[in-house]
Amino acid sequence: MNTGLQLYNTLTRKKELFEPLNAPHVGMYVCGPTVYSDVHLGNCRTFISFDLIFRYLKYSGYKVRYVRNITDAGHLEGDRDEGDDKFAKRAKLEQLEPMEIVQKYTLGFHDVLRMFNTLPPSIEPTATGHIIEQIEMIKEIMNNGYAYEANGTIYFDVEKYSKTYNYTILTNRNLEDMLANTRELGGQDEKRGRLDFALWIKAKPETLMRWASPWGEGFPGWHIECSAMSAKYLGAEFDIHGGGMDLAATHHTNEIAQSEACSHKQPAKYWMHTNMLTVNGTRMSKSAGNGFLPEQLFTGDHDLLEKGFSPMTVKFFMLQAHYRSTLDFSNEALDASEKGFKRLMNALSLLDKLSPSESSDFEIDPIAEHCVKAMNDDFNSPVVIAELFEASRIINTVHDGKGKISVVELDKLKKLMQDFVYDIFGLKDEESANIELNSVLDMVIDLRKTAKENKDYATSDKIRLGLQSMGIQLKDSKDGTTWNKA
């Protein structure tokens, strides 16, 4: 089991040796998406980064329980305690029920992550599926004296909590400055302090998503869900809590406060955060007009994109930057990643064609050791990629007859590439996948043609409708049958 892993802990603002609370078991919680709209690239970067971390921890011999939630209630616009509910607003816009919105965008989220070839988490709990746990946690926080009721809404008392605990431990901000810079918000007259936040929000007459509670009908605040679900599935104390850096200042700060106020324990030993995305040096955002969705990146359907880039190219591009560094999107950078990814895949396609010799001009162990050393250094994927290109150079050199490799070293080379390219990075050869898909579809279309010739229209229609349900549209013409992805 890997005992040399160092990771950067936001809580202590330094790299630390990773020592799980109950090795070889590791508990990891990552804040998932709010499923009221299409998942954006910033989210994708976070989930791709923690997929890498999940994969490497498993590769290192740990037994990982990876929990990533779905926020399907309680997240108000502007991440505040009052205002429009994101789900209700989108439901009204699309003339659907709120839970139809949840279902639609949850499926879309899973589809996108499947295209990026990420592993599913061990558990994917939803906020609406854990209302009871959230209510019980709020009751405990109130019993401990750190929350109060005001007109059916329950607020967390930050000032009282701060007398015992460090509210700004995660960000190291100055509490007095935070109080001075906090704007007057709606509902402020109900709060005892400006930094107090809602644990439970009283439902308005028009609120669609509401649940019964000891304080009347309402819905949970955004922050409480993660505290309740992480405690349920990982315990009051667990190893890693992750998310985007934008969550640290408020959401994760409030999670720590809620958890400590409930159990008197710091919930996670290590807090990890991914950095933001920029486009041509400017922060990516909808308001700036430079925010594009994964599908737009794949198709090139955006004014800032010269063409589309495949999911694996985008994933490779993300892995070429360290998860804690800013990732800048540009056509030039994506083009370079596309060329690099193809170069890597082309080398891999030659691996099984290499003929071993009795002697070897190359040693693979140093490359493998450098890869492990880089991953142990806070999951430094860019350094690993540089080493994989060195391995690719060896493959090309041997293939071109300009170098020799022994059976032993060739086996090590194959293991290296399997371990890091496929198992840890989760990359895959899209060209081979497309060739296989084309071959299978050609066979299925031929079976349908035979069925039609035999007047077996039931089978013919079954094949057409079956493919259609998988997003593949058939088009018949006098020249034959063609297909495209619907």
Side-chain angles (χ1 to χ4, degrees):
M1 190 167 60
N2 188 346
T3 56
L5 173 62
Q6 299 259 344
L7 53 81
Y8 184 85
N9 189 354
T10 308
L11 197 66
T12 58
R13 285 163 284 284
K14 65 182 180 181
K15 286 183 188 176
E16 296 179 1
L17 181 67
F18 179 59
E19 297 178 305
L21 296 168
N22 185 29
H25 300 279
V26 172
M28 182 169 74
Y29 187 93
V30 175
C31 290
T34 300
V35 286
Y36 74 102
S37 64
D38 293 309
V39 63
H40 57 76
L41 277 173
N43 279 148
C44 291
R45 190 205 185 175
T46 294
F47 303 135
I48 286 170
S49 296
F50 281 98
D51 181 66
L52 172 71
I53 291 166
F54 178 38
R55 287 170 178 269
Y56 188 65
L57 289 172
K58 293 205 303 178
Y59 168 82
S60 299
Y62 293 110
K63 296 177 180 178
V64 188
R65 177 177 286 180
Y66 173 20
V67 182
R68 186 185 67 211
N69 74 298
I70 294 285
T71 296
D72 58 352
H75 199 162
L76 305 184
E77 291 212 309
D79 303 340
R80 295 179 295 188
D81 295 334
E82 64 90 38
D84 289 332
D85 177 271
K86 291 185 175 185
F87 302 96
K89 188 171 182 178
R90 178 64 65 146
K92 187 176 181 181
L93 189 68
E94 297 191 24
Q95 296 185 315
L96 296 170
E97 284 290 323
M99 291 311 289
E100 286 182 285
I101 292 295
V102 167
Q103 178 75 351
K104 174 182 176 180
Y105 291 110
T106 299
L107 291 174
F109 165 66
H110 288 149
D111 287 343
V112 169
L113 289 197
R114 202 174 295 115
M115 293 176 79
F116 281 126
N117 198 35
T118 64
L119 298 174
S122 314
I123 303 172
E124 193 172 52
T126 64
T128 56
H130 296 78
I131 298 295
I132 292 172
E133 288 83 356
Q134 292 172 78
I135 289 173
E136 290 303 310
M137 191 170 201
I138 294 168
K139 285 162 66 176
E140 187 64 22
I141 293 171
M142 293 183 78
N143 289 340
N144 290 339
Y146 294 110
Y148 58 91
E149 181 181 358
N151 300 321
T153 293
I154 309 299
Y155 292 104
F156 188 90
D157 193 331
V158 172
E159 185 178 350
K160 187 170 183 181
Y161 168 82
S162 298
K163 291 177 180 177
T164 306
Y165 301 99
N166 181 1
Y167 180 64
T168 62
I169 189 171
L170 190 63
T171 58
N172 203 30
R173 292 180 297 172
N174 184 284
L175 191 62
E176 285 71 28
D177 290 344
M178 289 175 65
L179 284 164
N181 294 328
T182 302
R183 295 176 296 141
E184 289 285 354
L185 299 173
Q188 194 71 55
D189 55 331
E190 294 183 347
K191 298 180 182 181
R192 294 176 185 171
R194 282 191 170 194
L195 295 176
D196 294 357
F197 57 92
L199 301 174
W200 184 266
I201 302 169
K202 181 182 179 180
K204 296 176 181 177
E206 66 272 20
T207 303
L208 295 174
M209 300 176 79
R210 58 170 72 204
W211 291 266
S213 80
W215 319 287
E217 289 201 338
F219 54 93
W222 173 34
H223 313 300
I224 193 69
E225 63 175 272
C226 288
S227 293
M229 289 188 283
S230 63
K232 179 178 176 67
Y233 296 109
L234 299 175
E237 295 176 287
F238 55 95
D239 298 300
I240 298 172
H241 194 311
M245 67 179 297
D246 57 311
L247 298 178
T250 303
H251 185 54
H252 289 167
T253 289
N254 290 344
E255 273 192 69
I256 291 173
Q258 292 164 160
S259 297
E260 285 189 322
C262 179
S263 67
H264 308 293
K265 294 175 181 177
Q266 163 67 246
K269 187 175 180 180
Y270 306 94
W271 287 79
M272 302 180 68
H273 293 91
T274 55
N275 211 325
M276 65 180 180
L277 305 183
T278 58
V279 180
N280 300 318
T282 305
R283 184 167 182 172
M284 182 183 287
S285 68
K286 291 179 182 177
S287 58
N290 66 351
F292 32 80
L293 297 171
E295 189 174 334
Q296 292 174 307
L297 193 52
F298 302 155
T299 62
D301 185 21
H302 194 280
D303 291 342
L304 292 174
L305 295 168
E306 293 173 0
K307 66 174 188 178
F309 298 91
S310 74
M312 286 300 104
T313 295
V314 176
K315 184 174 187 177
F316 186 69
F317 169 70
M318 290 185 178
L319 292 171
Q320 284 184 294
H322 190 267
Y323 77 90
R324 284 194 294 113
S325 66
T326 302
L327 180 63
D328 187 54
F329 278 81
S330 69
N331 287 289
E332 294 77 17
L334 286 162
D335 274 330
S337 286
E338 184 176 61
K339 291 183 177 71
F341 177 66
K342 286 181 178 177
R343 192 162 82 245
L344 181 62
M345 288 297 116
N346 287 339
L348 281 166
S349 70
L350 301 174
L351 196 49
D352 286 332
K353 300 174 185 176
L354 300 185
S355 299
S357 304
E358 290 185 6
S359 61
S360 183
D361 297 328
F362 308 101
E363 290 185 11
I364 306 304
D365 282 344
I367 299 176
E369 288 165 7
H370 291 158
C371 287
V372 170
K373 184 179 178 181
M375 287 301 290
N376 280 348
D377 183 18
D378 196 28
F379 310 100
N380 200 330
S381 57
V383 172
V384 176
I385 288 173
E387 294 295 333
L388 294 177
F389 279 134
E390 172 60 17
S392 298
R393 185 191 66 78
I394 292 172
I395 293 171
N396 290 323
T397 300
V398 174
H399 181 263
D400 294 341
K402 298 177 181 177
K404 296 178 295 183
I405 191 166
S406 66
V407 173
V408 172
E409 295 302 320
L410 181 57
D411 286 344
K412 290 178 181 178
L413 182 56
K414 287 179 179 179
K415 185 177 187 306
L416 169 75
M417 301 309 258
Q418 177 66 44
D419 286 348
F420 285 90
V421 177
Y422 300 121
D423 296 345
I424 296 171
F425 281 4
L427 295 168
K428 61 182 181 180
D429 186 352
E430 291 166 314
E431 290 300 320
S432 295
N434 287 336
I435 291 169
E436 290 171 8
L437 176 62
N438 289 340
S439 300
V440 170
L441 282 173
D442 285 344
M443 183 180 70
V444 172
I445 288 170
D446 194 51
L447 288 172
R448 179 172 173 264
K449 179 185 175 185
T450 301
K452 287 177 73 176
E453 288 171 352
N454 294 334
K455 299 188 186 320
D456 183 1
Y457 299 116
T459 299
S460 171
D461 287 343
K462 187 175 182 180
I463 292 171
R464 178 179 58 81
L465 293 171
L467 291 174
Q468 188 174 305
S469 70
M470 293 184 283
I472 295 170
Q473 197 80 40
L474 297 182
K475 185 177 180 180
D476 295 317
S477 70
K478 61 181 181 180
D479 299 319
T481 302
T482 56
W483 65 271
N484 66 283
K485 290 185 178 180

